[in-house]
Each structure stands twice: as structure tokens, then as C-alpha cells.
Amino acid sequence: MISLEKGQRVSLEKNGSGLNEICVGVNWGAIETKGFFGGMKKKAVDLDASVGVFNVDKQLGEVVYFGKLKALGGVISHSGDDRTGDMDGDDGLDNEIITIKMQSLPATVDKVAVVLNSFGGDDFKAIPFASIRLYEGTPSRVDNVIATYNIANDSKFNGSVSMVLGIMYRHDGGWKFRAVGEPTADRKLEGTLQTVAAQYL
């Protein structure tokens, strides 16, 4: 297993040929708060995994997110919007998964950015076991985790509702992944993708 640190790069190749399916998985829990009478109540949390597709000129083309679950003829697909998180503790499964068929990406696609936003504005630090990962496999099978960020346990995400996992980019006829793992000051997906284009491509 390769687990990348911020800034590291890894080839998305295996045995001389490019990996086919890469998945982005996000897992998180509901926020526990104290009720009026001392008991605990749970607040649903809506995190959103998204990918932005850019051309060689850093122009944004397709965006796959909760409002558009497929792009490029299904080459990139989203499992669907999870608006609550795990209400009964960590079940060990990703709440949202985006699948990218790397070998089927059109030649016009030069970079694919992976981002995460807290739709309701819940601070990352308040969300139990919030994490995002990039892995080789399918939505039902994890073969090899490439990069993972435990957002809930990393203080640099405190006060943030938006982050960039990393960038997949073309290199010498294949694909590589650069781990970013940074929060952004943005509140919405549109701003996050603008920050990606300005700072990370």
C-alpha cells in the first residue's frame, strides 16, 4: 500500500500499464450535540465529494458532484448524495464514492482535481471520523489505497469547510497523482474549483 504525504507524487501505473478504475471515497459521521435535557442528539452532516475536469489550458470542463452524477459518457460517475453521514457510528464504508475510468478519459482531459466540501457549512473539525481517500479498485472493492487524509484528526482543517485531496495529471503518456491535502478558504464547490485552477494545477 502506498499512502502519500502532502506534496508527494505517484504514478497511476501498474506492471507497465495504466490503472483502469480509480475511486475517491469519503467517510464521515453525524455530529453529536447535547440536548436541552442533557441527553445527546445527532445532527446529520452533508459532505460532498466532487471532481473537476480540466484541459491543458487549465480551463474547467466537466464537474461531477451531487448535482451531476455522470460525465464524459459515464467515464466518471458518482454514487449519489449522502446528506447525513453515519448516524450510528462508523460502519467502515465510504458514504460517497466517485469512480474514474482512467483509460477511457478523452485526450482533451489533462487534469482531474479531487475536492471535498461541507455543504451545510459544518466545520471539518466537528465532523466525526471525516476522511477522504483515493484508491485503486471499485465502489465495492478496495485494492490499493493511494492517498488518504484523516480530516477529523488533523488540526490544519479546523475552521475549514473545503479541501483539495489532490490532482491527477497526464505525464509521459500516462497518469500521475499529486497529493495536495490542503484546506481552502472557500465556502462552496465553485470557489474551491476556482482555487484549484489558480493555485494547484
Side-chain angles (χ1 to χ4, degrees):
M1 170 176 141
I2 306 168
S3 191
L4 295 186
E5 298 296 323
K6 185 181 85 172
Q8 282 187 298
R9 299 167 190 258
V10 63
S11 173
L12 300 180
E13 306 276 321
K14 188 174 184 179
N15 301 325
S17 62
L19 301 179
N20 186 27
E21 286 199 330
I22 297 287
C23 292
V24 178
V26 185
N27 185 32
W28 73 93
I31 296 173
E32 286 197 11
T33 58
K34 284 189 176 174
F36 286 116
F37 303 105
M40 300 300 290
K41 61 179 185 177
K42 300 220 172 165
K43 175 192 173 188
V45 174
D46 186 358
L47 291 186
D48 292 320
S50 310
V51 298
V53 178
F54 294 84
N55 66 18
V56 70
D57 296 318
K58 302 182 182 179
Q59 297 298 309
L60 179 64
E62 302 271 11
V63 179
V64 175
Y65 68 113
F66 67 86
K68 184 181 181 185
L69 299 181
K70 291 188 186 300
L72 305 172
V75 172
I76 304 177
S77 59
H78 193 300
S79 62
D81 193 12
D82 185 316
R83 299 180 183 180
T84 64
D86 293 345
M87 297 297 285
D88 298 312
D90 189 357
D91 62 8
L93 303 174
D94 290 322
N95 297 75
E96 291 189 10
I97 301 171
I98 297 175
T99 306
I100 305 163
K101 296 176 181 175
M102 303 299 296
Q103 300 305 302
S104 300
L105 286 169
T108 52
V109 175
D110 189 65
K111 295 177 178 69
V112 179
V114 181
V115 301
L116 182 68
N117 293 85
S118 176
F119 184 80
D122 294 301
D123 189 331
F124 283 147
K125 75 174 180 182
I127 305 171
F129 55 87
S131 63
I132 183 169
R133 62 183 179 169
L134 185 83
Y135 66 88
E136 174 192 355
T138 70
S140 59
R141 189 190 74 245
V142 178
D143 293 336
N144 175 42
V145 176
I146 298 165
T148 184
Y149 290 100
N150 190 331
I151 296 166
N153 290 342
D154 191 333
S155 61
K156 76 178 173 185
F157 295 107
N158 291 0
S160 298
V161 298
S162 165
M163 66 88 69
V164 182
L165 173 69
I167 312 293
M168 288 171 268
Y169 62 98
R170 289 192 187 272
H171 180 77
D172 290 344
W175 284 91
K176 295 187 82 169
F177 176 77
R178 176 167 58 89
V180 173
E182 287 288 342
T184 80
D186 305 291
R187 306 295 297 177
K188 303 292 182 184
L189 172 60
E190 182 181 11
T192 307
L193 292 173
Q194 289 172 352
T195 296
V196 165
Q199 298 182 22
Y200 296 112
L201 296 187

